[in-house]
């Protein structure tokens, strides 16, 4: 019986210690984050533009996005505000902030159940033959546990995954 109690207390202290460590990592991590990544792709700016701006297709190309609901659109049907439902639950509301067709596209995360905000800017620069694609993330996570999770997963994981998806779509051309 004494061994069982010692094991239970030891396991409890270990788990509590891991939780405290996890929260400390999130607490001491800078809430704001800025990073950019660029890659040259052998594809036309128009093709890349059509891919990155196709909001309705997000659930088909990003496994973590379960659904997209268009909240507002321009008269031509271009989404200007949409709600994404991630596979872990919750919600994320994005708004279109800047558009220069085939050159610059900026979206902003304006509300999320994860206490996150931020913007992602996509720059397309023709480089014959092909396009230099740059994705810039400026984000902020106010929740200590969410920040801790992002630090453990890689704070730039979303940015790098986005570039990987674009690269994979246009590789082999």
């Amino acid at each position: 019986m004494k061994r069982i109690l010692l094991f239970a207390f030891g396991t409890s202290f270990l788990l509590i210690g891991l939780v405290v460590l996890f929260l400390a990592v999130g607490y001491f991590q800078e809430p704001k984050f800025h990073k950019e990544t660029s890659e040259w792709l052998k594809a036309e700016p128009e093709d890349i533009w059509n891919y990155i701006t196709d909001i309705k297709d997000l659930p088909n190309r990003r496994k973590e996005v379960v659904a997209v609901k268009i909240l507002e659109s321009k008269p031509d049907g271009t989404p200007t505000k949409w709600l994404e439902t991630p596979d872990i639950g919750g919600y994320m509301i994005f708004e279109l902030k800047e558009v220069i067709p085939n050159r610059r596209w900026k979206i902003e995360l304006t509300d999320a159940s994860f206490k996150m905000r931020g913007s992602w800017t996509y720059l397309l620069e023709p480089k014959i033959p092909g396009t230099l694609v740059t994705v810039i993330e400026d984000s902020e996570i106010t929740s200590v546990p969410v920040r801790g999770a992002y630090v453990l997963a890689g704070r730039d994981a979303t940015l790098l995954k986005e570039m990987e998806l674009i690269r994979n779509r246009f590789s082999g051309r």
Side-chain angles (χ1 to χ4, degrees):
M1 181 71 166
K2 193 174 184 181
R3 283 186 169 176
I4 292 173
L5 283 175
L6 284 173
F7 178 76
F9 282 127
T11 303
S12 297
F13 284 124
L14 177 64
L15 290 175
I16 291 169
L18 288 174
V19 168
V20 168
L21 179 63
F22 173 78
L23 292 174
V25 165
Y27 181 79
F28 289 108
Q29 189 65 34
E30 176 66 34
K32 293 186 178 188
F33 177 75
H34 170 85
K35 188 165 183 181
E36 64 183 72
T37 183
S38 296
E39 198 163 318
W40 177 85
L41 299 173
K42 192 175 180 181
E44 295 299 317
E46 297 82 13
D47 295 333
I48 298 169
W49 177 266
N50 290 335
Y51 176 77
I52 63 175
T53 61
D54 188 356
I55 301 305
K56 294 175 187 173
D57 190 50
L58 284 176
N60 294 324
R61 64 181 195 243
R62 290 182 46 206
K63 65 180 181 178
E64 73 277 7
V65 177
V66 175
V68 171
K69 180 180 179 183
I70 305 301
L71 303 175
E72 295 175 12
S73 296
K74 290 181 180 181
D76 67 1
T78 301
T80 57
K81 186 175 186 178
W82 62 94
L83 180 139
E84 292 182 17
T85 305
D87 59 357
I88 59 173
Y91 67 91
M92 301 169 85
I93 296 177
F94 289 89
E95 290 186 30
L96 181 59
K97 291 297 181 184
E98 188 176 347
V99 177
I100 301 173
N102 302 319
R103 302 287 290 185
R104 182 180 177 91
W105 193 63
K106 182 176 182 177
I107 61 173
E108 188 173 307
L109 175 60
T110 58
D111 190 19
S113 55
F114 309 105
K115 297 186 179 177
M116 299 170 60
R117 300 283 185 276
S119 67
W120 288 262
T121 305
Y122 298 76
L123 304 172
L124 306 177
E125 184 180 343
K127 295 282 185 184
I128 298 176
T131 305
L132 178 64
V133 179
T134 302
V135 183
I136 304 164
E137 177 179 345
D138 285 297
S139 60
E140 181 176 10
I141 303 173
T142 56
S143 167
V144 169
V146 173
R147 205 164 48 236
Y150 263 87
V151 168
L152 294 177
R155 189 74 190 257
D156 61 353
T158 303
L159 178 69
L160 297 177
K161 183 65 175 176
E162 185 66 17
M163 185 58 84
E164 177 186 351
L165 290 170
I166 296 168
R167 177 188 333 109
N168 290 345
R169 171 66 177 85
F170 294 99
S171 64
R173 288 184 157 218

